[in-house]
Amino acid sequence: MAAAKKIDLALQGGGAHGAFTWGVLDRLLDENNIEIRGLSGTSAGAMNAAVMASGYAHDGRVGAQQALEKYWRTVSDSAKFSPFQRSYLDRILGHWTLDYSPTYAIADAMGRIMSPYDTPLGGVNILKDILDNHVDYKALVKSPVKVFITATNVRTGRGRVFYPNELSSDVLLASACLPTLFRAIEIDGDPYWDGGYSGNPSLVPLIKECDSMDTIIVQINPYERPGVPKKAGEIISRLNEISFNAVLIKELRMMALLRRATTTDDGEGGLWGAQRIHLITSDLMLELGYTSKLNAEWEFLTMLRDEGRKVTDEFLRKHGPDVGKTSTYVIEKLLEGV
């Protein structure tokens, strides 16, 4: 019997769109010939990574799959009491967005003139209790799947990667802390914001700390989007996509340059250049509006999960034999115009 192919996964953030990543992980865990060695996550990607690795540490692949479903079910159940709900018009039009939600419109407008520090709710995040109930942080230290979480240090502006022995609900919340919605999370005396500003997610820990030479990026935020955004919400959404992808693209560009310079894996430069990169994404992400990231309806989450499973199944049929042998994502194209 052939040895299992070792892979790492880089999981992007994106609110409720993280349910797409749930589907990707769920499908990969079906494959006994694939061994997940490391997970690097930011924001929703961080939640998926911690929940999956915690479940895996207790009950293997099945435990990981069950843990992910229980987590997303709890998120959805908790969101039933959220003021952010699709409006009647959104539902009639068949939109997954909250574009016509008066509550969202008011909150969005207030967020432009008020800080989370101006309201007592700025320090409240219902995900804290959910995470504490679904993640065994002690188990993450011994889990065969290593987890690395990125958050952005507000004081220095630099990203910090938290290792398994440093993980807690505060670290996960820091990785998902959008500064217009929540107060910064303090860890070791420093304030932290969403890790997407400094690495969405970071590839460095996967390459330096894991023994796999194959990294699969699970993309939620599209690198490219056709047309020019003209509505205010569309412009802000695209700005967020660009800024949240910038650091990851720089890492991939550096990898492409090192690949040109060397074909060996001697030394750190060679190790970076020898990495095999793969990408799992979906055109569905181009169709979903920014406000749908706040939609935690079970029907929406399971639709995204099923899409994640479907595109991963397609990836495995098309590129499964290439994993462990060659890259299937051409990172050299990111050097165009550089």
Side-chain angles (χ1 to χ4, degrees):
M1 182 175 178
K5 298 179 180 180
K6 298 177 181 179
I7 66 167
D8 301 322
L9 291 160
L11 312 179
Q12 287 197 322
H17 293 184
F20 169 79
T21 302
W22 164 27
V24 173
L25 294 172
D26 191 63
R27 178 64 185 86
L28 288 173
L29 286 164
D30 285 339
E31 296 294 308
N32 290 323
N33 68 331
I34 289 180
E35 181 181 353
I36 300 173
R37 301 292 291 168
L39 299 167
S40 179
T42 296
S43 194
M47 315 299 181
N48 276 317
V51 170
M52 195 216 92
S54 176
Y56 198 102
H58 285 287
D59 296 303
R61 295 171 184 270
V62 173
Q65 290 174 315
Q66 291 175 344
L68 284 166
E69 179 161 5
K70 289 178 182 177
Y71 167 76
W72 283 102
R73 171 63 82 173
T74 304
V75 168
S76 181
D77 289 344
S78 299
K80 291 177 181 178
F81 305 102
S82 168
F84 298 115
Q85 304 286 343
R86 282 193 298 163
S87 68
Y88 180 74
L89 184 57
D90 286 315
R91 296 174 189 273
I92 288 296
L93 294 174
H95 296 166
W96 290 112
T97 58
L98 281 64
D99 291 349
Y100 296 101
S101 165
T103 304
Y104 173 78
I106 293 171
D108 184 52
M110 294 299 292
R112 300 170 195 272
I113 59 175
M114 292 184 65
S115 154
Y117 294 89
D118 296 329
T119 167
L121 296 179
V124 178
N125 193 324
I126 63 170
L127 279 177
K128 182 174 177 62
D129 288 339
I130 293 175
L131 289 168
D132 283 339
N133 288 330
H134 288 80
V135 179
D136 183 343
Y137 299 102
K138 292 182 179 179
L140 292 181
V141 178
K142 299 179 180 180
S143 175
V145 182
K146 296 180 180 179
V147 177
F148 308 96
I149 305 301
T150 302
T152 304
N153 186 308
V154 179
R155 181 177 58 82
T156 66
R158 295 195 295 268
R160 173 178 170 182
V161 175
F162 291 86
Y163 280 60
N165 63 321
E166 301 174 304
L167 299 184
S168 65
S169 58
D170 280 344
V171 170
L172 296 177
L173 292 176
S175 182
C177 181
L178 291 172
T180 57
L181 295 178
F182 303 106
R183 298 174 188 174
I185 305 294
E186 186 171 308
I187 300 173
D188 298 333
D190 271 328
Y192 286 89
W193 281 342
D194 197 297
Y197 300 111
S198 55
N200 192 21
S202 175
L203 300 181
V204 174
L206 296 177
I207 294 170
K208 297 190 70 173
E209 303 295 335
C210 299
D211 58 359
S212 168
M213 297 298 291
D214 288 79
T215 297
I216 299 176
I217 300 170
V218 182
Q219 184 186 57
I220 290 180
N221 304 287
Y223 296 152
E224 299 181 11
R225 184 179 287 275
V228 178
K230 296 180 180 179
K231 295 181 180 179
E234 293 174 347
I235 292 171
I236 293 173
S237 176
R238 186 56 183 153
L239 282 172
N240 285 332
E241 285 179 345
I242 292 171
S243 63
F244 276 21
N245 279 324
V247 178
L248 177 60
I249 289 175
K250 285 183 178 179
E251 284 189 310
L252 292 172
R253 281 174 171 169
M254 179 183 72
M255 191 177 294
L257 288 170
L258 289 169
R259 187 180 289 175
R260 283 184 178 181
T262 178
T263 57
T264 69
D265 60 354
D266 297 328
E268 187 172 331
L271 185 60
W272 274 80
Q275 291 294 310
R276 295 180 289 267
I277 302 298
H278 314 276
L279 181 72
I280 293 179
T281 188
S282 170
D283 290 340
L284 176 64
M285 296 304 166
L286 294 171
E287 302 172 13
L288 297 175
Y290 174 75
T291 59
S292 65
K293 292 182 178 181
L294 296 173
N295 184 354
E297 296 172 44
W298 185 243
E299 185 181 3
F300 180 55
L301 299 181
T302 53
M303 182 275 289
L304 288 169
R305 176 203 62 194
D306 293 344
E307 177 68 11
R309 283 189 59 89
K310 184 188 78 172
V311 297
T312 303
D313 195 56
E314 293 170 353
F315 170 85
L316 291 171
R317 285 201 306 269
K318 184 177 181 180
H319 298 301
D322 297 317
V323 175
K325 296 179 181 178
T326 185
S327 290
T328 59
Y329 179 55
V330 184
I331 59 176
E332 284 74 15
K333 66 182 181 181
L334 297 174
L335 296 176
E336 296 175 2
V338 177

